[in-house]
Amino acid sequence: LALKGVSLDVRFGEVVAVVGGNGSGKSTLLSLLPRFMDPGEGRILIDGVDIRELRTRDLRSQIGLVTQETLLFNDSIFENIRYGDVCATREMVLDAASQAQAIGFINQLPDGFDTIVGDKGGKLSGGQRQRIALARAILRNPSILILDEATSAVDSQSEEVIHTVLKEFVKNRTAFIISHVLNRTFLDLVTRIVVMDQGRILATGTHEELIKSCSAYRALNQSQLQVRDAA
């Protein structure tokens, strides 16, 4: 089983970090929310309603997803952002880009919002692609935001920009940050950390609580420090 005996209650407005090593089940856990898969046993409830009772289209309209491998189409920046809400006006797209702090680099491009990004966004840097993905999520205006290793492939400057964007955007919505270990840049955003290993939840708490009480969490943090020292 990918997940075993997992039970987790998340209150509206919480920012929950789900951390753990490869294969711990963190991405599988969060893939249950938009129904990329359904559990063999148990239920996923939102506001007390089993999500299998909802239309998949309606459920997913309330969820924004930003992943490590940003899916951009070989189309204009404008259309890639508008994919978050195909009914959005140009003004709404520009506002989302501004909130994502993407409008600065977009306006510096020769064709601005009409710039073709190339296959999988190959003409943009990793940080630029992530800000386009964030703008897409902002345009969607979801009740639930899922960030799956969203900053693992960007430089420190882009990471700071994304942190600034999220600090405002996560207000009045529920957010999940999936990562091997929570980057210290984002600690001030998170209300709770969930530690996973081999498909189970080992512990939940704040960074300070888990450093004291959870050996697996301490090991994850020590591993991150060693990688940074090596770099």
Side-chain angles (χ1 to χ4, degrees):
L1 295 175
L3 298 171
K4 308 164 194 172
V6 169
S7 181
L8 181 65
D9 291 324
V10 178
R11 297 181 299 277
F12 174 76
E14 276 197 277
V15 180
V16 177
V18 182
V19 304
N22 288 330
S24 60
K26 53 190 186 297
S27 292
T28 301
L29 177 66
L30 270 300
S31 70
L32 297 174
L33 266 180
R35 291 195 68 192
F36 294 152
M37 60 183 77
D38 285 329
E41 297 179 8
R43 297 184 299 164
I44 312 298
L45 307 176
I46 297 180
D47 291 339
V49 178
D50 191 323
I51 61 174
R52 285 174 289 199
E53 298 177 11
L54 305 173
R55 289 176 56 197
T56 304
R57 184 187 186 94
D58 293 337
L59 171 67
R60 292 178 180 172
S61 72
Q62 295 297 314
I63 298 173
L65 177 63
V66 181
T67 64
Q68 176 182 0
E69 188 68 29
T70 306
L71 180 59
L72 298 184
F73 305 104
N74 190 14
D75 204 331
S76 68
I77 288 176
F78 179 86
E79 290 298 337
N80 269 285
I81 296 175
R82 197 169 75 100
Y83 184 69
D85 179 0
V86 295
C87 297
T89 64
R90 187 171 185 85
E91 182 180 358
M92 291 166 66
V93 171
L94 267 60
D95 182 59
S98 178
Q99 289 186 59
Q101 297 197 22
I103 205 160
F105 82 80
I106 294 172
N107 286 336
Q108 291 177 359
L109 298 171
D111 296 320
F113 277 85
D114 296 322
T115 300
I116 303 299
V117 303
D119 188 34
K120 297 183 179 179
K123 294 182 179 179
L124 302 176
S125 71
Q128 290 171 338
R129 288 195 296 270
Q130 288 300 67
R131 276 179 273 174
I132 295 299
L134 274 174
R136 180 190 285 171
I138 288 169
L139 183 66
R140 197 173 188 82
N141 193 27
S143 299
I144 299 171
L145 177 67
I146 301 172
L147 303 170
D148 191 350
E149 301 283 4
T151 63
S152 61
V154 301
D155 57 39
S156 57
Q157 183 178 0
S158 296
E159 192 176 79
E160 288 287 349
V161 171
I162 292 170
H163 169 267
T164 302
V165 173
L166 290 176
K167 199 165 188 177
E168 287 301 313
F169 187 60
V170 297
K171 292 177 180 177
N172 298 316
R173 67 188 83 233
T174 306
F176 297 90
I177 300 175
I178 306 171
S179 183
H180 280 76
V181 61
L182 184 63
N183 193 308
R184 293 178 184 276
T185 307
F186 295 92
L187 279 177
D188 65 322
L189 297 178
V190 172
T191 54
R192 186 157 45 122
I193 300 170
V194 175
V195 185
M196 296 197 67
D197 183 54
Q198 297 183 0
R200 299 182 184 274
I201 293 178
L202 294 183
T204 65
T206 65
H207 173 75
E208 291 77 14
E209 290 169 345
L210 293 172
I211 284 290
K212 293 177 181 177
S213 64
C214 181
S215 59
Y217 185 72
R218 285 196 300 273
L220 287 169
N221 277 267
Q222 186 61 37
S223 175
Q224 183 193 48
L225 290 174
Q226 290 171 351
V227 168
R228 288 192 169 187
D229 288 345

